[in-house]
Amino acid sequence: MSNPASFRDQSNWADGFYELAIEVGSTDDARIQEVLGAVWSAAGVQGCFAFRDREPEEQEPVSCSAASLAEYGHLHGQVRLPTGRPAVCGCVAIRGGDESSDWLDFYVPVGALSKAGIAYWDGGSFFRSAVMDDWLAAVGARAFRRTPFSLAVIGFEVSGCTDAATLAGRLPESRGIGYLLPRDGVLHYGAAND
């Protein structure tokens, strides 16, 4: 049986990313650092590594930091999925510069999710899983308690598909993705419903 937690198995990293994409709300390295630490802890990620073509025991860990993200592009680890199976995971920062906010994307690749037996909806051209949506929403809620953020979206490659300013504190009625939207200091979860 293939192992969804194997770094070397490149099929684990295939087919795109299922994400908890967090709009950090600033372009400050310190904010990226805070949100990264909160998400890594909230998800229970094991390890923090620069390379996905070597197993964790074949490489030195790196710091779970904004500096490591800037140096390596992505950080990688292993996480226990809602099914109990371990799988590869990662994180990347998408810097907005002067034009927009920074985003921090925590992801589990679809290749690993498929091998881990995560059920998903196949009625469209993309991966969607209610199990993963709820799990990532819980991860986002735990991270928010530690360090608030402007918005988080959940789904297949969702980073930057909207922003907090566009939503203006209101969840869309028809949702093809999940939303974690703070309003008056309280985080509201709007699950995908179409």
Side-chain angles (χ1 to χ4, degrees):
M1 179 188 265
S2 59
N3 178 5
S6 170
F7 276 36
R8 267 194 197 279
D9 183 347
Q10 292 304 299
S11 66
N12 283 337
W13 302 99
D15 302 325
F17 299 145
Y18 211 72
E19 301 174 336
L20 168 66
I22 298 173
E23 184 181 11
V24 174
S26 81
T27 57
D28 179 5
D29 280 354
R31 283 292 297 143
I32 287 282
Q33 178 67 51
E34 290 170 6
V35 175
L36 172 62
V39 168
W40 219 250
S41 174
V45 178
Q46 298 297 305
C48 186
F49 302 97
F51 308 107
R52 68 182 203 187
D53 60 349
R54 304 173 209 169
E55 295 300 335
E57 61 274 9
E58 299 171 344
Q59 60 181 306
E60 291 295 318
V62 298
S63 67
C64 186
S65 66
S68 291
L69 274 174
E71 182 174 351
Y72 300 110
H74 290 248
L75 298 177
H76 308 95
Q78 294 168 322
V79 68
R80 188 159 303 279
L81 297 174
T83 59
R85 300 268 325 256
V88 296
C89 65
C91 200
V92 63
I94 300 166
R95 307 307 294 259
D98 294 335
E99 300 300 313
S100 62
S101 294
D102 288 348
W103 287 78
L104 185 80
D105 291 1
F106 172 72
Y107 60 82
V108 180
V110 172
L113 291 174
S114 294
K115 288 183 186 178
I118 295 289
Y120 64 94
W121 178 69
D122 61 359
S125 58
F126 59 91
F127 185 102
R128 185 157 97 195
S129 166
V131 169
M132 285 302 294
D133 286 354
D134 291 346
W135 181 74
L136 288 170
V139 168
R142 287 191 297 271
F144 182 83
R145 286 193 291 273
R146 183 167 156 189
T147 183
F149 47 77
S150 302
L151 170 69
V153 288
I154 300 165
F156 180 75
E157 301 197 358
V158 291
S159 178
C161 66
T162 189
D163 57 34
T166 300
L167 294 175
R170 290 184 299 278
L171 290 168
E173 287 186 31
S174 177
R175 298 180 296 272
I177 61 173
Y179 293 82
L180 290 171
L181 182 64
R183 189 172 51 242
D184 300 325
V186 176
L187 190 65
H188 299 272
Y189 175 42
N193 62 8
D194 73 0

